[in-house]
Amino acid sequence: MVSVATPESTSVRPRLDSVDLLRGLVMVIMALDHVRDFFSHYLYTQPPVDPMDMSRTTVALFLTRWVTHFCAPTFVFLAGTGAFLSGARGKSAKQLSGFLLTRGLWLVLLDVTLVRVGWNFNVDSSRELGGGVI
């Protein structure tokens, strides 16, 4: 007897839209925080206004900075969630470890090269190497 695979048994489970949506929301919040200084006059006052300085900030400016404190822990949580889901979808521990290691090495390489040049507009490697929070 010949066994015929049904589409349900051979298909890969789809990505969870809620995880991708949350990751995208966090990226939008962080992007707004990173460009806030370029589009507000608070940076150009003397001395510049620190959004976390309660004596000089506004409620809106404070809240736009405050909400970003939840972004890094959310990214770490989602990274763990993604690793768990990859394992649950059939990747072995060895495959998952290899993937995470190579992705991490690529991120470090990009951080000390492209991100450093793009952020500092400086190609001089004799200065600090970089190593931000990427």
Side-chain angles (χ1 to χ4, degrees):
M1 179 178 201
V2 176
S3 172
V4 178
T6 61
E8 294 84 23
S9 65
T10 60
S11 66
V12 176
R13 288 188 282 186
R15 293 178 61 94
L16 292 177
D17 291 337
S18 57
V19 173
D20 291 336
L21 183 65
L22 183 57
R23 187 178 289 127
L25 177 65
V26 170
M27 284 191 273
V28 167
I29 291 170
M30 286 307 298
L32 291 173
D33 180 59
H34 287 308
V35 300
R36 174 184 33 83
D37 289 339
F38 299 110
F39 294 104
S40 70
H41 69 281
Y42 297 108
L43 182 65
Y44 305 107
T45 60
Q46 293 302 320
V49 175
D50 177 10
M52 302 303 285
D53 180 2
M54 300 303 286
S55 66
R56 298 189 60 217
T57 192
T58 64
V59 172
L61 186 61
F62 172 80
L63 289 176
T64 59
R65 182 67 180 124
W66 175 79
V67 73
T68 61
H69 288 79
F70 298 101
C71 292
T74 303
F75 269 133
V76 171
F77 173 76
L78 291 174
T81 302
F84 171 78
L85 291 173
S86 291
R89 291 183 178 171
K91 278 193 177 180
S92 69
K94 185 176 180 178
Q95 289 173 320
L96 190 55
S97 296
F99 171 73
L100 293 173
L101 178 66
T102 55
R103 183 174 70 172
L105 291 174
W106 271 112
L107 288 173
V108 168
L109 178 68
L110 287 173
D111 189 45
V112 298
T113 56
L114 292 176
V115 173
R116 180 176 56 107
V117 171
W119 192 260
N120 298 323
F121 303 108
N122 184 1
V123 294
D124 183 12
S125 63
S126 65
R127 296 174 56 184
E128 67 182 57
L129 188 59
V133 183
I134 184 166

